[in-house]
Amino acid sequence: MQITILAGGIGGAKFLRGVRAACPGDGLTAVVNTGDDVTLHGLRICPDLDSIMYTLGDGADDERGWGRKDESWRIKEELSTYGAEPSWFGLGDLDIATHLVRTRMLDAGYSLTDVTAALCERWRPGVRLLPMSDERCETHVVVDLDGARRAIHFQEWWIRHHAALPAQAFVQVGVDDALPAAGVLSAIGAADVVLLAPSNPVVSIGTILGVPGIRDAILATPAPVVGLSPIIGGAPVRGMADACLPAIGVEVSAEGVGCHYGSRKNGGLLDGWLIHHTDSAAVPGVTVREVALLMTDDAATAAMVRAALELAR
Ligand code: GDP
Ligand code: CA
């Protein structure tokens, strides 16, 4: 069976561990958000791809939630001694090696898809990882700052300002000229099931869907499409997704996100929507099922995946 999953970083990574555990013999492809990507200190950084690659490759720091385990920070300290900005972005020594390899390959003309495949030769994630696009297409957040309305990079909003500045809008800079990366449309069109991971609906799943062609491919695929709610009891389990949904006028609830994704019967994305068993949601045209949706360990996440596949059937 071919399973294609749309995924963001940390939530996506945990979910994909569950997919891999639940479906060991199947062809797994993840289409990953690259809207968070940024160039800092001359290094090309792909936070969501790296979160997934490290997590599936058993190299992630699970406690911190991002970056490498057994990390050290000597380069970051040196940079701050030079006063080199930005100082608010965490760049670990081991992580920097990944960014050096990536940046060098990109500079030599390889696509991000090729670079990701090369990095994955080391990490062996067991899931084919595809960036949503090979083009730069970076999320910016429109905020009021220092008396003016301006658009700042998503990372500056998320990490430097802890998503505490009210977001007026999200803008994907470069999206008009972006194409889906090689393999993305066929992975959706040839899938037996498409899953929307319980990732941030705005700045992870929403960003992937913003790349011209990807939403249409999901609308057109003969495969069933099932989503899993990232919102439980009116709150994101972890992270700051509740700072993103109001900016696009979506209620922070399983029902709000389900209705935002909408039914494939009327131009939306979903055939099925899984919500946590303590929630309820009415999503017109979509089969809603209630199961445990807490990704506490791989076994619990694998059970979520099996429930999604059952709903797809
Ligand atoms: P990011 O790119 O690192 O922000 O990660 P994602 O976008 O892939 O996932 C973040 C989302 O995962 C958050 O908005 C949470 O709502 C969701 N999330 C985190 N842990 C859980 C969990 O245990 N269960 C569910 N259902 N959602 C979760
Ligand atoms: Ca992310």
Side-chain angles (χ1 to χ4, degrees), residues 97-214:
T98 303
H99 306 323
L100 284 169
V101 174
R102 174 186 293 123
T103 305
R104 191 172 84 169
M105 287 188 72
L106 289 170
D107 287 349
Y110 290 96
S111 69
L112 183 59
T113 302
D114 291 340
V115 174
T116 303
L119 294 171
C120 286
E121 293 219 350
R122 171 188 175 188
W123 291 101
R124 310 243 160 224
V127 175
R128 184 166 65 121
L129 301 186
L130 299 178
M132 66 187 196
S133 177
D134 284 326
E135 267 93 29
R136 278 175 77 150
C137 176
E138 296 175 8
T139 303
H140 283 60
V141 190
V142 179
V143 295
D144 291 320
L145 183 62
D146 302 330
R149 180 151 292 196
R150 51 184 101 221
I152 59 176
H153 193 284
F154 172 75
Q155 294 296 350
E156 187 170 0
W157 180 68
W158 192 253
I159 293 171
R160 184 182 194 181
H161 296 289
H162 307 287
L165 283 175
Q168 308 296 334
F170 295 92
V171 183
Q172 285 174 267
V173 176
V175 75
D176 293 341
D177 302 319
L179 296 169
V184 167
L185 297 183
S186 57
I188 294 168
D192 297 300
V193 185
V194 175
L195 300 177
L196 305 186
S199 289
N200 189 310
V202 185
V203 294
S204 291
I205 304 293
T207 308
I208 298 170
L209 294 170
V211 177
I214 294 188

Side-chain angles (χ1 to χ4, degrees), residues 60-79:
D61 185 314
D62 293 329
E63 240 156 76
R64 196 183 327 114
W66 56 272
R68 294 283 306 279
K69 66 181 164 196
D70 304 322
E71 186 58 283
S72 56
W73 306 91
R74 297 200 65 193
I75 296 176
K76 187 170 192 272
E77 284 157 25
E78 276 302 288
L79 286 168

